[in-house]
mmCIF file of all heavy atoms in Angstrom:
data_model
loop_
_atom_site.group_PDB
_atom_site.id
_atom_site.type_symbol
_atom_site.label_atom_id
_atom_site.label_comp_id
_atom_site.label_asym_id
_atom_site.label_seq_id
_atom_site.Cartn_x
_atom_site.Cartn_y
_atom_site.Cartn_z
ATOM 1 N N VAL A 54 36.419 20.433 -40.329
ATOM 2 C CA VAL A 54 35.513 20.616 -39.146
ATOM 3 C C VAL A 54 34.896 19.309 -38.887
ATOM 4 O O VAL A 54 34.353 19.060 -37.744
ATOM 5 C CB VAL A 54 34.569 21.772 -39.422
ATOM 6 C CG1 VAL A 54 33.484 21.423 -40.579
ATOM 7 C CG2 VAL A 54 33.751 22.053 -38.255
ATOM 8 N N LEU A 55 34.842 18.475 -39.810
ATOM 9 C CA LEU A 55 34.063 17.115 -39.706
ATOM 10 C C LEU A 55 34.992 16.037 -38.912
ATOM 11 O O LEU A 55 34.525 15.011 -38.525
ATOM 12 C CB LEU A 55 33.490 16.599 -40.951
ATOM 13 C CG LEU A 55 32.450 17.514 -41.668
ATOM 14 C CD1 LEU A 55 32.206 17.138 -43.044
ATOM 15 C CD2 LEU A 55 31.244 17.640 -40.800
ATOM 16 N N VAL A 78 28.236 24.017 -47.776
ATOM 17 C CA VAL A 78 27.909 23.801 -49.195
ATOM 18 C C VAL A 78 26.648 24.728 -49.568
ATOM 19 O O VAL A 78 25.679 24.737 -48.809
ATOM 20 C CB VAL A 78 27.520 22.157 -49.475
ATOM 21 C CG1 VAL A 78 27.038 22.231 -51.037
ATOM 22 C CG2 VAL A 78 28.573 21.247 -49.185
ATOM 23 N N ASN A 86 24.327 17.916 -54.739
ATOM 24 C CA ASN A 86 24.867 17.002 -53.762
ATOM 25 C C ASN A 86 24.176 17.193 -52.475
ATOM 26 O O ASN A 86 24.727 17.686 -51.479
ATOM 27 C CB ASN A 86 26.347 17.308 -53.482
ATOM 28 C CG ASN A 86 27.216 17.192 -54.695
ATOM 29 O OD1 ASN A 86 27.341 16.209 -55.272
ATOM 30 N ND2 ASN A 86 27.630 18.375 -55.244
ATOM 31 N N PRO A 87 22.896 16.831 -52.480
ATOM 32 C CA PRO A 87 22.016 17.160 -51.264
ATOM 33 C C PRO A 87 22.620 16.532 -50.020
ATOM 34 O O PRO A 87 22.629 16.990 -48.896
ATOM 35 C CB PRO A 87 20.621 16.573 -51.502
ATOM 36 C CG PRO A 87 20.749 15.800 -52.776
ATOM 37 C CD PRO A 87 21.911 16.230 -53.438
ATOM 38 N N LYS A 88 23.055 15.119 -50.064
ATOM 39 C CA LYS A 88 23.460 14.495 -48.824
ATOM 40 C C LYS A 88 24.829 15.103 -48.361
ATOM 41 O O LYS A 88 25.068 15.294 -47.098
ATOM 42 C CB LYS A 88 23.854 13.047 -49.149
ATOM 43 C CG LYS A 88 22.483 12.282 -49.156
ATOM 44 C CD LYS A 88 22.802 10.774 -49.292
ATOM 45 C CE LYS A 88 21.454 10.113 -49.398
ATOM 46 N NZ LYS A 88 21.710 8.641 -49.851
ATOM 47 N N LEU A 89 25.694 15.568 -49.245
ATOM 48 C CA LEU A 89 26.947 16.283 -48.860
ATOM 49 C C LEU A 89 26.612 17.614 -48.192
ATOM 50 O O LEU A 89 27.156 17.835 -47.141
ATOM 51 C CB LEU A 89 27.853 16.447 -50.029
ATOM 52 C CG LEU A 89 29.069 17.342 -49.751
ATOM 53 C CD1 LEU A 89 30.069 16.628 -48.905
ATOM 54 C CD2 LEU A 89 29.725 17.802 -51.146
ATOM 55 N N ALA A 90 25.710 18.160 -48.713
ATOM 56 C CA ALA A 90 25.197 19.552 -48.181
ATOM 57 C C ALA A 90 24.790 19.363 -46.754
ATOM 58 O O ALA A 90 25.005 20.143 -45.737
ATOM 59 C CB ALA A 90 24.188 20.276 -49.002
ATOM 60 N N TRP A 91 23.924 18.360 -46.572
ATOM 61 C CA TRP A 91 23.333 18.164 -45.307
ATOM 62 C C TRP A 91 24.360 17.751 -44.245
ATOM 63 O O TRP A 91 24.439 18.317 -43.133
ATOM 64 C CB TRP A 91 22.242 17.095 -45.324
ATOM 65 C CG TRP A 91 21.436 16.860 -43.964
ATOM 66 C CD1 TRP A 91 21.551 15.928 -43.079
ATOM 67 C CD2 TRP A 91 20.469 17.924 -43.620
ATOM 68 N NE1 TRP A 91 20.778 16.092 -42.219
ATOM 69 C CE2 TRP A 91 19.937 17.274 -42.345
ATOM 70 C CE3 TRP A 91 19.936 19.017 -43.962
ATOM 71 C CZ2 TRP A 91 19.112 17.909 -41.566
ATOM 72 C CZ3 TRP A 91 19.054 19.786 -43.228
ATOM 73 C CH2 TRP A 91 18.571 19.126 -42.012
ATOM 74 N N HIS A 92 25.255 16.854 -44.688
ATOM 75 C CA HIS A 92 26.322 16.392 -43.824
ATOM 76 C C HIS A 92 27.214 17.627 -43.460
ATOM 77 O O HIS A 92 27.406 17.753 -42.250
ATOM 78 C CB HIS A 92 27.191 15.363 -44.586
ATOM 79 C CG HIS A 92 28.292 14.819 -43.829
ATOM 80 N ND1 HIS A 92 28.140 14.329 -42.535
ATOM 81 C CD2 HIS A 92 29.620 14.545 -44.176
ATOM 82 C CE1 HIS A 92 29.446 13.902 -42.080
ATOM 83 N NE2 HIS A 92 30.204 13.950 -43.118
ATOM 84 N N LEU A 93 27.722 18.350 -44.364
ATOM 85 C CA LEU A 93 28.590 19.477 -43.911
ATOM 86 C C LEU A 93 27.924 20.443 -43.090
ATOM 87 O O LEU A 93 28.236 21.007 -42.025
ATOM 88 C CB LEU A 93 29.337 19.987 -45.073
ATOM 89 C CG LEU A 93 30.182 21.249 -44.858
ATOM 90 C CD1 LEU A 93 31.382 20.871 -43.828
ATOM 91 C CD2 LEU A 93 30.704 21.867 -46.116
ATOM 92 N N ASN A 94 26.656 20.884 -43.684
ATOM 93 C CA ASN A 94 26.023 22.008 -43.026
ATOM 94 C C ASN A 94 25.555 21.738 -41.628
ATOM 95 O O ASN A 94 25.469 22.716 -40.784
ATOM 96 C CB ASN A 94 24.896 22.600 -43.953
ATOM 97 C CG ASN A 94 25.429 23.134 -45.312
ATOM 98 O OD1 ASN A 94 26.762 22.860 -45.595
ATOM 99 N ND2 ASN A 94 24.526 23.573 -46.187
ATOM 100 N N MET A 95 24.881 20.527 -41.433
ATOM 101 C CA MET A 95 24.401 20.156 -40.098
ATOM 102 C C MET A 95 25.398 19.617 -39.185
ATOM 103 O O MET A 95 25.678 20.052 -38.033
ATOM 104 C CB MET A 95 23.331 19.153 -40.309
ATOM 105 C CG MET A 95 22.095 19.629 -40.999
ATOM 106 S SD MET A 95 21.100 20.699 -39.822
ATOM 107 C CE MET A 95 21.954 22.276 -39.840
ATOM 108 N N ASP A 96 26.254 18.575 -39.620
ATOM 109 C CA ASP A 96 27.266 17.982 -38.694
ATOM 110 C C ASP A 96 28.349 18.840 -38.407
ATOM 111 O O ASP A 96 28.707 18.793 -37.199
ATOM 112 C CB ASP A 96 27.615 16.693 -39.336
ATOM 113 C CG ASP A 96 26.525 15.671 -39.470
ATOM 114 O OD1 ASP A 96 25.545 15.697 -38.841
ATOM 115 O OD2 ASP A 96 26.729 14.699 -40.318
ATOM 116 N N GLY A 97 28.682 19.636 -39.381
ATOM 117 C CA GLY A 97 29.698 20.651 -39.006
ATOM 118 C C GLY A 97 29.307 21.706 -37.951
ATOM 119 O O GLY A 97 30.011 22.063 -37.011
ATOM 120 N N LEU A 98 28.010 22.243 -38.174
ATOM 121 C CA LEU A 98 27.485 23.121 -37.034
ATOM 122 C C LEU A 98 27.423 22.388 -35.660
ATOM 123 O O LEU A 98 27.851 23.041 -34.723
ATOM 124 C CB LEU A 98 26.144 23.620 -37.523
ATOM 125 C CG LEU A 98 25.488 24.469 -36.439
ATOM 126 C CD1 LEU A 98 26.284 25.746 -36.186
ATOM 127 C CD2 LEU A 98 24.132 24.966 -37.059
ATOM 128 N N ILE A 99 26.926 21.287 -35.636
ATOM 129 C CA ILE A 99 26.706 20.543 -34.329
ATOM 130 C C ILE A 99 28.105 20.319 -33.710
ATOM 131 O O ILE A 99 28.184 20.422 -32.568
ATOM 132 C CB ILE A 99 25.801 19.241 -34.477
ATOM 133 C CG1 ILE A 99 24.426 19.748 -34.921
ATOM 134 C CG2 ILE A 99 25.776 18.443 -33.178
ATOM 135 C CD1 ILE A 99 23.563 18.653 -35.320
ATOM 136 N N ILE A 142 17.907 22.065 -50.137
ATOM 137 C CA ILE A 142 18.657 21.363 -49.079
ATOM 138 C C ILE A 142 19.349 22.526 -48.265
ATOM 139 O O ILE A 142 19.314 22.333 -47.055
ATOM 140 C CB ILE A 142 19.490 20.319 -49.541
ATOM 141 C CG1 ILE A 142 18.532 19.101 -50.014
ATOM 142 C CG2 ILE A 142 20.328 19.697 -48.323
ATOM 143 C CD1 ILE A 142 17.640 18.486 -49.025
ATOM 144 N N SER A 146 18.769 23.207 -44.382
ATOM 145 C CA SER A 146 19.975 23.179 -43.398
ATOM 146 C C SER A 146 20.186 24.548 -42.646
ATOM 147 O O SER A 146 20.456 24.544 -41.410
ATOM 148 C CB SER A 146 21.244 22.759 -44.078
ATOM 149 O OG SER A 146 21.844 23.886 -44.820
#
Side-chain angles (χ1 to χ4, degrees):
V54 69
L55 296 172
V78 174
N86 299 290
K88 285 188 181 162
L89 171 71
W91 188 254
H92 180 45
L93 176 61
N94 297 7
M95 288 289 76
D96 296 339
L98 173 60
I99 294 168
I142 291 297
S146 75

